[in-house]
Every structure is written in structure tokens, then in C-alpha cells.
Amino acid sequence: MDYCLQTKRSRWRTIVRFFDTEDILGKLVLTSWEEVNPEVRNFIHHHLVKKQSKYCRGGFQYKDHSNLLSKKGDGVLETHNLLDEFGWSITGLEFNHSLLIWHIAADLLFHDDLRRYSAVVLCSHCQISKYLSDYMMYLLFVRPNMLPKGIGELRMKETRNEVIGLFKNKSLSSSELVNTLLNLDFRSEISSPQSPSESKSVIAEGWQLASMLRLLVENLLWDHSDKWEFIADMWMEIMAFAANKCEWREHKIQLKNGGELLTHVALLMAHFGLTEHIEITTDEEDNSKLLRFDNTHLGWDWDQLSHLPYYLA
């Protein structure tokens, strides 16, 4: 939202964009760097440990491994029996499209809860959700090569132009923009019989998702912290999917520039065997699990995973 407002306000950027066609400067202006706090690190680690334990319980079957890594939010929806209700925002959509929808919804909900119940926004899962949502959006803006291929840049431009068009005669702060969007009525667009990916604006889809998420508290008898825990789990699964799909050469490039959180997540996933870049095979002689990475066979001991540099050498 801040990026859309900046585009609307800054006249000088018309000149800059003549030379900076991808608006790299504009995106970097809104980028700030933060240390990953222990709460976020523990949340990420806990999620991946649970993911690995599911694989262990399945007896290390390849189909279980492949199924776990294919989840990009739909796994969390299945766990809560919400796939039928919310699956439209994940399944059948390009990854970047789904990412934008969930970011807009999370941003709308965050500011709505901040206005209504300020104490809720202070809960840990709310803060983690905001952190991961903003970070994944940063990757889409500034590091798109680290995400699954798609038309993310085009969809971002369309969304930005839509926001500018809605508020072209108004000067609003970021929070005012979000509050205004919450009060708009997109139901006519949502009821369109055409498919979401072709007819609906991403803003309308984000508004629809935010409205549905808000009703979870009432429909499932959740409190607001339950709602944010669910959203945080969604963002974690979305991030894990992206980390696994990112090619190692992209991680290598970012390590030269100081590293990205997504690379740390990918390395931790590889540490737990949760990656498509490692082939798990079975030794015919002793039936032990083997790890194949970069044409190197390594013994895989699930109880002693303490040599990450060795596994990835």
C-alpha cells in the first residue's frame, strides 16, 4: 500500500522511471532491514520440525515427501477443514497472484484489528503474520527471481494502478487508505460469474478474503489470537513452498549480498530433508536411507542432523 501511495505522490518519479524502468529505486526507498527476532526464528523452526515429523510418521515415503513440499497454504486449510471455503485463494492460482491476495487481506485485517482492538495486534502471531507477509511482498517486489516464475510484476503494476485509480483525487496516509478500502463494497465484482484470475481485481479478492477471515472468529468460535495463529501458519507454509522452489543459484547470489531469510529457511529445510533438491534413495544392501545432493551420496541419520555445511558441500 505504501508503494502505491508513493507512486501517486511523487512527481519526480516520472523522470526517474525513464531511466529506472523497473522502478528499483522506488522499491528500495520503501525497504527497511530488521533483525529476525527470536520469536520469528522459533516459529519458523517449530513449523519445519512439525513438517518433518509428518514425513517421519509416514515412513519416509516419497509420496509423503512430495505432498508436503507441494503445500502452499492448502495444507493449513486442510488441517482446519477450510479448504472448501478458502481454497479459491490458493489452489488453481499462480503463486504470485495468491501471494498478493493474502498480503492485501493480511494488511487490511491488521489495520482493522489495530483500529478495533489494539491489544490483539500485540499478540505474537499477529506480529509474525505481519512480518512474514511484508517479507514475502518484499521478495515479490525486489527479489522476484527467488519466487516461483509467473507474471508477478505485471500483476503488481495492475494492482498499483487500480489503487491509484480508486484514490486519484485524495491524499491519504497508509492507514487511511487501508481503512477506506475496508469500507468499500466489492461485492458486485466478487459475484461475477467469470473465474477470479481473469475477471476480478486483486484488490477485490483481497477484500473478499479479509472479510471471510474476519468471520472466522464468529463462525468457528475462535478468538482473535486463534485467527492470527491460523494466518501465521498460512504465511509460513507459503514461505516454505517458496523456499523449496527457489533454485540454489539464486540463494547463492543472495548470499554474496548478505543473504536472505528465505535462504536460511531453505537451508534449514534441506537440513531436515524437506527439499526437492535432495533425492532420497534406498541402499539395496542394508535398506538405509541415503541422501543424494549434487551427485554426492551421504548417509541420512534423522537423529543426528548436525552437519548442515557437510550435507550442502
Side-chain angles (χ1 to χ4, degrees), residues 10-60:
S10 305
R11 296 179 180 177
W12 62 269
R13 292 188 63 202
T14 303
I15 301 173
V16 174
R17 287 294 296 274
F18 182 80
F19 302 97
D20 182 14
T21 57
E22 295 183 3
D23 199 22
I24 294 174
L25 178 61
K27 295 170 183 176
L28 290 176
V29 164
L30 291 174
T31 300
S32 60
W33 299 97
E34 295 182 22
E35 289 289 332
V36 181
N37 65 55
E39 204 166 43
V40 174
R41 291 201 300 266
N42 291 336
F43 178 78
I44 291 172
H45 182 266
H46 178 67
H47 174 89
L48 296 180
V49 168
K50 285 200 303 182
K51 215 174 187 67
Q52 188 216 28
S53 67
K54 290 182 180 179
Y55 184 38
C56 293
R57 289 197 300 270
F60 312 113

Side-chain angles (χ1 to χ4, degrees), residues 79-246:
T79 299
H80 292 279
N81 296 316
L82 292 172
L83 187 59
D84 290 341
E85 189 175 354
F86 289 89
W88 63 269
S89 66
I90 297 289
T91 59
L93 293 183
E94 181 188 63
F95 178 81
N96 294 336
H97 185 175
S98 180
L99 178 59
L100 274 168
I101 293 173
W102 275 88
H103 175 73
I104 291 169
D107 218 29
L108 290 175
L109 271 182
F110 180 84
H111 285 89
D112 189 41
D113 279 7
L114 181 63
R115 180 185 60 181
R116 293 168 180 257
Y117 338 94
S118 57
V120 174
V121 177
L122 298 177
C123 79
S124 61
H125 285 108
C126 180
Q127 295 295 331
I128 290 170
S129 297
K130 178 65 173 169
Y131 187 101
L132 296 182
S133 175
D134 287 350
Y135 177 70
M136 292 304 295
M137 203 61 190
Y138 152 78
L139 291 179
L140 187 59
F141 265 29
V142 183
R143 303 280 185 253
N145 289 339
M146 298 190 76
L147 298 179
K149 300 295 183 284
I151 56 172
E153 182 68 26
L154 176 61
R155 207 173 293 280
M156 280 193 303
K157 287 180 180 178
E158 291 175 349
T159 304
R160 179 189 64 199
N161 292 337
E162 183 184 0
V163 172
I164 293 172
L166 285 170
F167 305 101
K168 59 184 176 182
N169 297 321
K170 298 180 180 179
S171 179
L172 301 173
S173 67
S174 180
S175 60
E176 289 171 336
L177 172 62
V178 170
N179 290 332
T180 304
L181 282 173
L182 281 167
N183 294 323
L184 291 177
D185 190 346
F186 289 98
R187 282 176 293 183
S188 60
E189 290 191 50
I190 292 169
S191 62
S192 170
Q194 297 169 304
S195 65
S197 59
E198 295 178 356
S199 63
K200 296 180 189 175
S201 72
V202 177
I203 294 292
E205 291 174 313
W207 181 89
Q208 178 186 6
L209 179 58
S211 300
M212 293 173 65
L213 289 170
R214 196 187 304 170
L215 291 174
L216 287 176
V217 174
E218 178 182 340
N219 295 342
L220 299 182
L221 301 180
W222 284 0
D223 58 28
H224 291 285
S225 61
D226 293 328
K227 175 188 68 181
W228 282 110
E229 182 177 0
F230 164 70
I231 296 172
D233 287 341
M234 285 293 297
W235 276 114
M236 186 58 236
E237 190 162 277
I238 290 171
M239 174 185 273
F241 177 85
N244 174 58
K245 291 298 181 182
C246 182

Side-chain angles (χ1 to χ4, degrees), residues 266-312:
L267 291 171
L268 186 56
M269 289 177 68
H271 185 55
F272 290 143
L274 299 171
T275 175
E276 292 175 339
H277 303 287
I278 293 178
E279 180 182 349
I280 298 179
T281 59
T282 302
D283 188 287
E284 295 181 358
E285 293 183 2
D286 60 8
N287 201 36
S288 63
K289 300 296 176 182
L290 295 175
L291 179 72
R292 179 181 295 171
F293 185 87
D294 288 344
N295 298 318
T296 303
H297 287 80
L298 303 168
W300 187 253
D301 188 339
W302 288 93
D303 297 322
Q304 297 180 12
L305 304 181
S306 58
H307 304 294
L308 182 59
Y310 172 67
Y311 286 144
L312 302 182

